[in-house]
Amino acid sequence: MHIPDGFLSTPVWGTLDLVSAPAVAWVARRAQRDTQDHRIPLLGVMGAFVFAAQMINFPVGPGTSGHLVGGALLAIVLGPAAASLVMVAILALQALIFQDGGVLALGANVFNMALAGVAAGYLPYRLWEGASRSGAIFAAGAFSVITSACLALGQLMISGVPMAGGVLWASLALFLASALMEGAITVAAVRAIERLNPAWIGGPRPASSRALAAVAMTALVMVVVGTLVASAAPDGIQRLTEQGLAADWSQRTVGGVAGLGLIVALCYLGGKLISRRRSA
Amino acid sequence: MHHLVIDRWSRGSSPLHQRDPRAKLAALLVFLIALSTTPPAAQAAFVAYAILLIVAANLARLPIRGLAGRAALVLPFSATFALLTWWSGDSLRALGLAEKSFLSGMAALLLVGTTPLTGWTAALESWHAPRMLILVIQFVYRYLFVIAEQAQRMRWAALSRRGSRKRSRRVSFQFSAAAGLVGVLFARSWQRADGIYHAMLARGFRGRFVPAAPPPFQTSDALFFSACLAGCLAIRLLL
Amino acid sequence: MPRHPPAPVSQAIQIRGLRYRYPDGTQALNGIDFHLDAGESVALFGANGSGKTTFVLHLNGLLRGEGSIEICGLPLADETLEQIRSKVGVVFQDSDEQLFMPTVLEDVAFGPLNLGLSPADALTRARTVLKRVGMAHALDRAPYHLSAGEKKRVAIAGVLAMDPEILVLDEPTTFLDPPTRRDLVTLLRSLPQSKVVVTHDANLARTLTTRAVFFDQGQITGEGDVIEVIQRFHWEYS
């Protein structure tokens, strides 16, 4: 779900632009570090591939079909940092050239799909690949889509776009259905690719530990749940932002950044602690 | 195809085309921020924003109708949510949502319709966007339609071989056939990336793209940006 | 005395005993001896999969097999790789893979920039070469919008901009309609470089080259005057 401009309230898009910009810089540095030269054209071509693969319809029942979203597939093939970068490139092109998603809302869309969505499409694969490969890939696809969709929905509701109870449940059901579909499509696509050349799947093995991945996964779930909980009481926020109080605006932006930063920092420290204890 | 039109537009030679991409990108951001923070009750302001865009489109010698048609691509999404808002009794806000998303889309189109991809990526780069990201954007755009056409040809080939037997109508069969298509498309893309890398090495690539220097920022660019800033501020604060 | 005496400078390419095995175990080249005089043009014939393209990828060190390769008197090695890549210009079969930069001008300037020219000099050289191949009108166009013939001309310009002494052309006229093909052949004939032309097309070989070698299963099984080789191997469509 690409959010266009005009839907998010200023504190929401402002916060997410402020969070996403340094995150993208970090991801780009990491991708550059893990990437040999020959992967620069590969990243670009894989971005174009995801665009094109979305044209291929997967029938799921009489009269209905879905298509690949691709965040999890990219993460599994290229590794998380490179996959994030490719998704950012795709989102930027969609926003400017294809009118799919807004320019001010680019930070939000990048956060939902390129950062959280790719992380959610990588962590389950990394955590459970050993237990059941197909299960892990399915979970990666499904979790990736549901994460992006729930974050977008939460941000819209925090911004004051009203969702009556029925509509809310209907959207959540829809998200669940598309998440299951993405899981199934990702599994089928990965199998088809592996049949042609097993070396293509696997990507670079990261140095980070599984414990760190588990903590990151917890953080991600917390961010998603937190966004949904915060959006459950949007009316007060909406009224405040519409009055355009400068103090309130900056307070909320700072609060938002600080909150996100706190979650990330806590999880990072926790992860370091666990991995140090393991290796000791 | 959609992007062919935008590419053709962006190669024009109007006064707006000649402005520095950095000035245009900054003006776009100012416009979007002003628009986004305008309360839905200020309907006169929305009319003024629309007039501003129409003037700019005229200056750029771009067809208003074509611009509006492409900006309308956002409407299915925004209409859905506008409808929900309208349902909940806030019709003014609903109107505001649709107007804001439509005008924002139009403004973004004005940027890409007067600035080739290399222009706005160079602007982003001069503002310290990561070089790696810029390269990936350029490569995605370069191969987007090459690979999409390949996908299209493969779909046609698959459809023309689809029999009428019961087996081929089964959903599970078609599902795995679609997965097979994705697999082959992936394989072709991967091989294409290898081919591109060979071609790069053959022309002396040594791991670093050498950037070309951007043209200097001129007084006329500064004037253009100031005019946009003044216009947006006036609309936002006075109407 | 060394086993292989150094080639005289008038030899553009001198190859002895070249072998290459792909990582999957396929023996693609099995003892190739090949030479090309300065200013000479030679056609490479052979069935699909006979090793022609693999051979061509060795000429500028994209693949490295066993055996000795000398380009314009320089032995191919890690230290000479950059020099050799500027001497051997390869025009690949798929122009879409060759033209990867966002605009025609930038694409042609890519090679000179890698050679260390200043951006201004690289652009000047790119403009000159584009004029030479008749594409001066398309400097700011995106490669995607060009016709197949135009793409091929730009790809050739991109290679000429590196000022090579040898041109390697892999199936230069496939996918071109007859008039476009004719114009391209005229252009290629006017270029003074030594040429290695990989092709299935006997007509093209007759117009562009004087000598031909025939590849079969990774070996050169026939060599001689181009017309004589075409007749010996029945290498024509009808």
Side-chain angles (χ1 to χ4, degrees):
Chain A
M1 192 157 66
H2 295 59
I3 306 173
D5 277 333
F7 279 79
L8 296 178
S9 63
T10 314
V12 173
W13 65 252
T15 304
L16 289 165
D17 281 348
L18 284 180
V19 169
S20 294
V24 169
W26 182 76
V27 158
R29 254 204 314 281
R30 249 192 113 84
Q32 193 141 33
R33 205 190 57 196
D34 310 342
T35 297
Q36 305 101 325
D37 325 326
H38 78 270
R39 286 169 57 93
I40 294 175
L42 180 66
L43 297 195
V45 172
M46 282 297 129
F49 157 76
V50 165
F51 248 110
Q54 295 183 344
M55 293 165 50
I56 295 172
N57 285 323
F58 282 77
V60 284
T64 45
S65 66
H67 67 76
L68 180 76
V69 177
L73 181 62
L74 281 178
I76 292 169
V77 173
L78 300 173
S84 277
L85 196 68
V86 172
M87 285 301 275
V88 175
I90 292 178
L91 291 170
L93 283 170
Q94 283 176 327
L96 280 169
I97 304 216
F98 296 92
Q99 309 311 302
D100 202 1
V103 173
L104 293 180
L106 189 58
N109 288 324
V110 161
F111 184 83
N112 300 344
M113 284 179 274
L115 300 170
V118 167
Y122 180 72
L123 293 170
Y125 175 70
R126 173 100 181 84
L127 282 172
W128 300 319
E129 188 197 3
S132 154
R133 208 173 135 67
S134 294
I137 295 169
F138 182 89
F143 191 46
S144 166
V145 163
I146 202 112
T147 299
S148 308
C150 285
L151 285 174
L153 184 74
Q155 288 153 6
L156 286 172
M157 286 165 66
I158 294 178
S159 300
V161 176
M163 297 273 169
V167 179
L168 183 63
W169 288 114
S171 343
L172 286 176
L174 198 70
F175 293 166
L176 194 65
S178 29
L180 296 177
M181 201 143 77
E182 173 75 358
I185 293 175
T186 308
V187 171
V190 168
R191 280 212 191 116
I193 293 166
E194 269 177 333
R195 219 174 295 133
L196 293 169
N197 185 350
W200 285 333
I201 303 284
R205 277 275 150 264
S208 60
S209 68
R210 286 190 66 202
L212 207 62
V215 174
M217 179 94 171
T218 318
L220 201 59
V221 172
M222 275 165 67
V223 170
V224 173
V225 172
T227 308
L228 284 178
V229 167
S231 67
D235 288 346
I237 300 172
Q238 178 198 351
R239 228 163 278 132
L240 282 174
T241 49
E242 276 191 353
Q243 286 161 11
L245 295 172
D248 181 68
W249 187 94
S250 54
Q251 255 172 26
R252 281 194 179 280
T253 308
V254 171
V257 174
L260 275 173
L262 202 67
I263 293 179
V264 172
L266 274 178
C267 295
Y268 182 75
L269 287 176
K272 278 267 160 173
L273 212 68
I274 294 176
S275 57
R276 194 164 298 162
R277 194 167 294 166
R278 285 245 173 125
S279 60
Chain B
M1 232 183 274
H2 179 70
H3 96 299
L4 293 178
V5 177
I6 290 181
D7 265 9
R8 201 183 64 226
W9 284 350
S10 71
R11 286 201 306 273
S13 57
S14 77
L16 215 57
H17 283 87
Q18 287 158 14
R19 294 286 67 73
D20 190 290
R22 286 166 287 189
K24 284 185 274 188
L25 198 53
L28 172 69
L29 290 179
V30 167
F31 178 87
L32 290 178
I33 292 173
L35 179 64
S36 151
T37 55
T38 304
Q43 283 296 318
F46 290 112
V47 176
Y49 288 129
I51 292 172
L52 201 64
L53 289 180
I54 291 170
V55 168
N58 264 319
L59 222 61
R61 296 182 212 123
L62 295 181
I64 303 281
R65 232 182 236 226
L67 278 171
R70 282 178 174 74
L73 287 178
V74 307
L75 285 180
F77 181 98
S78 39
T80 312
F81 283 93
L83 218 64
L84 288 175
T85 312
W86 184 62
W87 236 337
S88 75
D90 199 346
S91 53
L92 198 62
R93 195 186 154 82
L95 187 64
L97 283 181
E99 285 168 339
K100 281 182 183 180
S101 55
F102 179 76
L103 292 176
S104 303
M106 211 128 142
L109 275 170
L110 263 173
L111 171 79
V112 292
T114 57
T115 318
L117 179 96
T118 43
W120 60 262
T121 51
L124 285 178
E125 200 176 353
S126 73
W127 290 347
H128 302 288
R131 176 123 186 87
M132 181 103 173
L133 176 63
I134 302 294
L135 287 174
V136 174
I137 289 178
Q138 290 180 349
F139 268 104
V140 172
Y141 189 68
R142 169 67 185 89
Y143 288 102
L144 189 56
F145 288 88
V146 176
I147 294 180
E149 277 175 9
Q150 208 160 19
Q152 186 64 53
R153 284 195 296 271
M154 281 166 47
R155 259 183 56 190
W156 282 331
L159 283 177
S160 59
R161 278 186 306 154
R162 194 156 91 187
S164 54
R165 293 222 311 274
K166 266 225 174 86
R167 185 175 133 78
S168 72
R169 265 188 261 128
R170 272 220 314 267
V171 164
S172 65
F173 179 78
Q174 281 182 36
F175 192 90
S176 56
L181 275 186
V182 169
V184 174
L185 193 67
F186 181 93
R188 295 253 175 94
S189 307
W190 191 286
Q191 284 155 358
R192 185 179 287 284
D194 276 348
I196 296 164
Y197 184 60
H198 274 160
M200 284 163 61
L201 285 183
R203 288 199 281 154
F205 181 68
R206 280 178 285 177
R208 211 175 79 81
F209 280 83
V210 185
F217 199 82
Q218 289 167 334
T219 326
S220 50
D221 299 319
L223 282 176
F224 163 77
F225 174 71
S226 312
C228 292
L229 184 66
C232 291
L233 276 181
I235 296 173
R236 175 69 185 84
L237 298 177
L238 301 180
L239 290 175
Chain C
M1 196 178 134
R3 211 149 54 92
H4 299 308
V9 183
S10 66
Q11 289 273 4
I13 301 178
Q14 177 71 263
I15 290 177
R16 292 203 183 89
L18 180 63
R19 288 167 191 282
Y20 181 75
R21 188 193 289 272
Y22 273 105
D24 67 2
T26 323
Q27 187 77 41
L29 297 178
N30 202 358
I32 302 276
D33 294 316
F34 178 86
H35 70 94
L36 181 75
D37 292 336
E40 192 195 16
S41 292
V42 62
L44 305 191
F45 290 137
N48 301 326
S50 58
K52 303 182 303 275
T53 300
T54 309
F55 174 72
V56 159
L57 290 177
H58 280 83
L59 294 179
N60 63 357
L62 286 174
L63 292 179
R64 304 283 290 272
E66 301 162 39
S68 82
I69 299 180
E70 277 180 27
I71 305 290
C72 305
L74 275 176
L76 186 113
D78 288 340
E79 310 84 64
T80 56
L81 205 54
E82 272 176 32
Q83 241 179 311
I84 281 176
R85 282 188 183 157
S86 69
K87 286 187 192 296
V88 183
V90 184
V91 179
F92 291 91
Q93 186 172 359
D94 186 342
S95 307
D96 273 325
E97 285 173 9
Q98 182 135 18
L99 308 178
F100 44 81
M101 295 296 277
T103 65
V104 166
L105 186 65
E106 281 174 277
D107 198 276
V108 177
F110 177 83
L113 282 172
N114 284 329
L115 290 181
L117 265 67
S118 74
D121 291 347
L123 292 180
T124 313
R125 192 188 279 190
R127 284 202 183 86
T128 317
V129 181
L130 280 166
K131 202 188 242 171
R132 171 87 184 76
V133 301
M135 288 298 295
H137 59 281
L139 300 180
D140 295 327
R141 304 264 299 274
Y144 175 74
H145 300 305
L146 304 176
S147 69
E150 290 175 318
K151 279 183 195 169
K152 197 50 100 183
R153 280 168 187 270
V154 176
I156 292 168
V159 164
L160 289 180
M162 309 214 23
D163 203 10
E165 295 181 29
I166 302 160
L167 276 182
V168 178
L169 305 156
D170 192 353
E171 293 289 0
T173 55
T174 31
F175 308 123
L176 300 185
D177 58 53
T180 312
R181 183 183 171 286
R182 224 161 31 229
D183 292 346
L184 189 76
V185 171
T186 313
L187 168 69
L188 290 174
R189 288 189 63 153
S190 74
L191 299 174
Q193 283 85 355
S194 324
K195 296 182 197 80
V196 176
V197 185
V198 179
T199 186
H200 290 310
D201 183 341
N203 277 326
L204 179 73
R206 269 194 292 256
T207 26
L208 279 185
T209 65
T210 48
R211 191 160 63 88
V213 295
F214 193 89
F215 275 71
D216 189 20
Q217 298 184 8
Q219 288 180 313
I220 291 180
T221 54
E223 185 174 358
D225 177 75
V226 64
I227 295 166
E228 190 261 322
V229 170
I230 290 169
Q231 279 165 356
R232 186 166 12 137
F233 292 93
H234 303 291
W235 209 247
E236 276 188 284
Y237 287 111
S238 51

